[in-house]
Amino acid sequence: NMIKQKRKEKAGKWQVPIPKVKAMTEDEMFKILRSGKRKKKAWKRIVNKISFVGDNFTRKPPKFERYIRPAALRHRKAHVTHPELKMTFCLDIVSVKKNPQSALYTSLGVITKGTIIEVNVSELGLVTQTGKVIWAKYAQVTNNPDVDGCINALLLV
């Protein structure tokens, strides 16, 4: 019972700046890449949107790679605005927590408008009531990163 209560508190805690996001079609998100000697096979997809991959990411061999995330569209940093301080910081992205478009985009690390990302806030010097340093916090992306070429987000406090 206590666990369920804690879970409810955590779920109702965040009030996101952008509650509703325009749906995106699969044609808009991926480009079909034809492979094989006669370009007959069409099972590979190139991700057209900005994505995030971790530090220890290495691509699979081309034969086994289903989703290709181009290096030019991979981002590691985001411009995060703190709503109370009214200041913007360039912070490292830790992970992509939730993409409202689909679970597939979350697992691929695709970042679109409304995506919840986890950012490293250790350099901001935020501490809890007990005095522990907060390492990471959630932020919601407020712009279209593929149009602007950068990721702008608002810290969820």
Side-chain angles (χ1 to χ4, degrees):
N1 190 20
M2 199 168 156
I3 296 168
K4 283 183 182 176
Q5 205 171 0
K6 276 191 178 177
R7 200 177 291 147
K8 276 184 185 175
E9 281 175 25
K10 278 189 178 177
K13 196 175 181 182
W14 310 115
Q15 194 171 17
V16 288
I18 306 168
K20 287 192 177 134
V21 183
K22 184 180 77 86
M24 208 171 282
T25 60
E26 204 165 291
D27 302 331
E28 207 176 354
M29 188 67 77
F30 303 117
K31 178 181 175 261
I32 297 169
L33 187 73
R34 297 195 164 272
S35 60
K37 190 175 182 181
R38 304 272 179 260
K39 302 289 180 219
K40 197 175 176 183
K41 297 181 171 104
W43 53 270
K44 283 190 182 191
R45 301 284 183 269
I46 295 179
V47 180
N48 289 335
K49 303 288 173 194
I50 299 246
S51 60
F52 167 77
V53 292
D55 290 332
N56 54 0
F57 172 76
T58 50
R59 282 182 62 185
K60 286 186 178 133
K63 190 177 172 85
F64 306 112
E65 192 174 34
R66 170 117 197 237
Y67 295 102
I68 300 165
R69 291 170 283 192
L73 292 176
R74 292 185 211 152
H75 280 240
R76 290 174 181 270
K77 291 192 176 278
H79 305 292
V80 182
T81 304
H82 195 292
E84 288 160 12
L85 298 174
K86 298 279 191 279
M87 289 179 73
T88 305
F89 306 95
C90 189
L91 302 173
D92 289 323
I93 299 172
V94 177
S95 65
V96 174
K97 282 294 156 203
K98 180 90 171 82
N99 191 319
Q101 307 292 342
S102 113
L104 172 68
Y105 303 154
T106 305
S107 62
L108 283 172
V110 175
I111 299 173
T112 55
K113 187 174 183 171
T115 304
I116 305 291
I117 57 174
E118 194 175 11
V119 289
N120 185 357
V121 293
S122 60
E123 60 205 43
L124 298 185
L126 298 172
V127 288
T128 59
Q129 280 119 359
T130 55
K132 290 181 182 172
V133 176
I134 300 171
W135 289 105
K137 266 188 163 296
Y138 294 150
Q140 188 179 32
V141 178
T142 54
N143 70 327
N144 284 325
D146 52 309
V147 175
D148 298 344
C150 67
I151 300 168
N152 297 335
L154 194 65
L155 204 66
L156 301 176
V157 181

